[in-house]
Amino acid sequence: MNLVRHFIGGRWTDAANGGEYPNHDPWSGAVLATVAAGDAEDARRAIDAAHEAFPGWAGSLPGQRQAVFLRAAEILARRREEVRALLTAETGCGHHFANVQLDFSLSLLRQAAALPYQSTGQILPSDVAGTTAVAVRRPVGVVGAIAPWNSSLVLGGRAIVGPLALGNTVVLKPSEESPTSGGTIWAEIFAEAGLPAGALNVVTHAPGDAGAIGAELIADPRVRRINFTGSTVTGRRLAEQAGRHLKRVVLQLSGQNPLIVLADADLDHAVDAATYGAFVHQGQVCMCARRIYVEDRIAEPFVARFAAKVATLPTGDPADPATVIGPVINKWSLSLLTRRVEEAVAAGARVLAGGAPVPPCYPATVLTEVPADAELAFDETFGPVVVLEIVADADEAVRRANQSRFGLTAAVLTGDPQRGVAIARRLEAGIVHVNDQPVNDEPQMPFGGVKESGWGRFGIGFAADDFTETQWLTTRDSPRAFPF
Ligand code: ADP
C-alpha cells in the first residue's frame, strides 16, 4: 500500500495527530494510497519550516535557483510515464489531458528557470538633488498555495513554481482528491532537483478538513500571500478571512464559460472545437465551455452534427488511450451532475445527447432550452454537460454571454477574425480565444478571470505582481538642507 505523507522541512512525516485517510481511484474505486490526514498543527510546522528556509532561498544566487528548475524539468521528463499513470489513477485523467498537463508543467519549469535572471528593479528620476532612487522587487516570504484536483499537476505546479522562482518559500495544500499528483510528486521532484529543505512544504488532509489548514495559512502573519485555485464558494470564504488579516490572495475561481458560434464559422471546425472545449477531461477543466450560443442561421446543421458527434464519444476506462470521457472525480460530483440534468429536464430542457449517468462516468451530455432559473443555466457544473442555446445574432450572444456572474474564459468561432476580435472586446472575461475553443493555457500567459471568477493573474512574468513586494529605496550623495 502506498503511503503519502507530509513533506515538511525536507522530511517525509506523518500527521501530528497520527491521522490517515484512504484515497480512491475514481474509475476502479480501489484504494490507491493511505494519506496523512493533517490539520492546523501540521500547517504550523510547515510554515515554521518555510519561514526558516526563506532567507537562504531568497538570498541564493540566480544560477543556483536556475539549476534547480532545470533539474526539476529533467526529472519530470524522466518520470513522465509514471506521472501520466498517476494522473490517471488518482484523478481519472485520460492520456490526452495527462499529456497536456505534462507538457505544460515541463514548459513551466523551463520558463521558471529564466526568472531568477530577470531584472529586479528600476532606477527612478528624483527632483531631490544628489538622490539615487530605485524600485526593487523583492520576494515576499512564505506563500500559501491551495490547489484543486482537476488539473492537479498543472494547478499544483503553477501554485508553487512561479512563487519559488521569484525567491519565495511555499506551503502547498493539495486537494484531498490529488494529494500525490497535485502535491507530493512536486515535493519529490524538487527535493531530487536540489531545492533546499523547507523551501517547498506539502501538507495533506482528509476530505472535509481543508478549512483548518486554509485558516492557519491565512491567519499566520509569516505567510505573506495566498494563492488559490478552486470554486467561487471556497474562494469567497478565503477572501473574507484574508480581508480580516489584510492578506493578499490571488483567486482563480469558477467559470461558466460561453462559446459563441457565429453563422460565418466553418461548420466542421466549429463542431470539433465545441466538442473538445466542452468535453476535454470529461468537462472537468475550469476553462471548459459550459454554454454554447449558436447563431440561428447555422443552428440546424451545427446542432445535428454536434449532437451526433458528442453521442459517439468513447466513455469508460481512462487508462484506455481511446477513451475520451473517463470517470468523474467522485460520487458527489456524479450525483450533482445527475440532479442538475434531471431538474433542468423536469423544468422543460431537451436532451440532445447523453443525459443519464453510467457510474462512475457521466456520458457527454448536451441540453437545450434550459430555463434560466435551472442551476445548469447559471452555475458552474463541473463535468461533461453543456447547455446549447440558439440566438438571433452576435449581439444577443454577447448579451447572454455577459449575463453570467462569472468571467473566466470565452470563445468566438467566426470566419472573420477581425469581427471575432471586436466581439472579444465586448465579452466580460479574463481570457478570450477567437477561432478556438476556451481550453488553452501556456505558462507565460496571464491566466485569470473577472467578476466572480476571481482576481490576480497566474503566469510567469505576470505572477511577479502578486508574489513580490516593490521597495522604494533612496540614497542621498550629500546632506540635504531641511527647513527646520
Ligand atoms: P473543487 O470543487 O474544485 O474541489 P474547492 O474550492 O472545493 O473546489 O477545492 C479547491 C481547493 O480548496 C482544494 O484544495 C480544497 O481542499 C480546498 N478547500 C476546500 N474548502 C476549503 C476551505 N474552507 N479552506 C481552504 N481550502 C479549502
Side-chain angles (χ1 to χ4, degrees), residues 182-195:
T184 54
I185 193 75
W186 284 112
E188 286 179 20
I189 288 169
F190 273 114
E192 187 183 339
L195 185 72

Side-chain angles (χ1 to χ4, degrees), residues 30-66:
V31 175
L32 278 178
T34 300
V35 184
D39 59 21
E41 173 59 26
D42 302 287
R44 225 167 0 252
R45 288 159 55 202
I47 296 166
D48 291 345
H51 184 66
E52 202 176 310
F54 174 65
W57 178 241
S60 61
L61 297 173
Q64 292 170 328
R65 273 183 276 154
Q66 178 174 66

Side-chain angles (χ1 to χ4, degrees), residues 300-353:
E300 210 178 302
F302 177 84
V303 170
R305 288 205 215 176
F306 178 58
K309 176 164 178 153
V310 170
T312 62
L313 293 178
T315 303
D317 185 350
D320 179 346
T323 296
V324 173
I325 306 290
V328 295
I329 190 70
N330 55 31
K331 287 184 184 135
W332 180 86
S333 176
L334 192 69
S335 66
L336 181 73
L337 287 160
T338 307
R339 178 176 68 75
R340 284 191 173 171
V341 170
E342 282 174 358
E343 282 177 5
V345 170
R350 278 197 302 125
V351 177
L352 298 175

Side-chain angles (χ1 to χ4, degrees), residues 146-150 173-177 205 210-215 228-235 237-238 241 332 382:
I146 301 177
W149 53 264
N150 60 311
K173 190 211 79 58
S175 164
E176 55 276 24
E177 299 285 3
H205 62 86
I213 294 170
F228 172 79
T229 305
S231 62
T232 293
V233 172
T234 305
R237 189 175 301 153
L238 293 178
Q241 291 177 31
W332 180 86
F382 218 66

Side-chain angles (χ1 to χ4, degrees), residues 392-441:
D393 52 25
D395 285 342
E396 187 188 349
V398 169
R399 188 174 50 75
R400 293 183 68 170
N402 287 342
Q403 267 167 0
S404 174
R405 65 192 168 100
F406 301 112
L408 185 59
T409 66
V412 185
L413 297 169
T414 165
D416 178 351
Q418 288 311 316
R419 185 176 173 223
V421 169
I423 290 170
R425 294 207 170 104
R426 295 165 60 198
L427 289 171
E428 295 168 0
I431 301 163
V432 186
H433 300 292
V434 174
N435 277 340
D436 201 346
Q437 48 70 48
V439 183
N440 282 285
D441 196 11

Side-chain angles (χ1 to χ4, degrees), residues 123-340:
I123 297 177
L124 305 167
S126 167
D127 278 327
V128 180
T131 292
T132 304
V134 293
V136 187
R137 226 178 49 211
R138 307 193 305 177
V140 295
V142 180
V143 172
I146 301 177
W149 53 264
N150 60 311
S151 304
S152 48
L153 188 72
V154 163
L155 300 178
R158 77 171 188 188
I160 60 171
V161 170
L164 281 171
L166 292 161
N168 304 290
T169 56
V170 179
V171 176
L172 170 65
K173 190 211 79 58
S175 164
E176 55 276 24
E177 299 285 3
S178 55
T180 310
S181 63
T184 54
I185 193 75
W186 284 112
E188 286 179 20
I189 288 169
F190 273 114
E192 187 183 339
L195 185 72
L200 170 63
N201 307 275
V202 179
V203 178
T204 58
H205 62 86
D209 290 348
I213 294 170
E216 191 63 33
L217 290 172
I218 290 173
D220 192 312
R222 296 171 298 172
V223 179
R224 305 303 309 149
R225 295 280 197 282
I226 301 285
N227 73 64
F228 172 79
T229 305
S231 62
T232 293
V233 172
T234 305
R236 190 189 305 279
R237 189 175 301 153
L238 293 178
E240 284 168 0
Q241 291 177 31
R244 207 159 50 238
H245 295 277
L246 293 178
K247 188 159 295 183
R248 273 172 59 182
V249 285
V250 173
L251 298 173
Q252 199 253 282
L253 309 177
S254 308
Q256 167 72 336
N257 312 306
L259 182 151
I260 296 173
V261 185
L262 296 178
D264 62 358
D266 178 282
L267 193 57
D268 290 335
H269 178 249
V271 168
D272 291 347
T275 307
Y276 183 90
F279 299 114
V280 62
H281 192 28
Q282 42 273 19
Q284 297 177 130
V285 185
C286 56
M287 298 171 268
C288 277
R290 307 284 178 210
R291 300 174 287 154
I292 300 176
Y293 295 115
V294 194
E295 202 174 353
D296 200 13
R297 280 182 295 139
I298 200 179
E300 210 178 302
F302 177 84
V303 170
R305 288 205 215 176
F306 178 58
K309 176 164 178 153
V310 170
T312 62
L313 293 178
T315 303
D317 185 350
D320 179 346
T323 296
V324 173
I325 306 290
V328 295
I329 190 70
N330 55 31
K331 287 184 184 135
W332 180 86
S333 176
L334 192 69
S335 66
L336 181 73
L337 287 160
T338 307
R339 178 176 68 75
R340 284 191 173 171

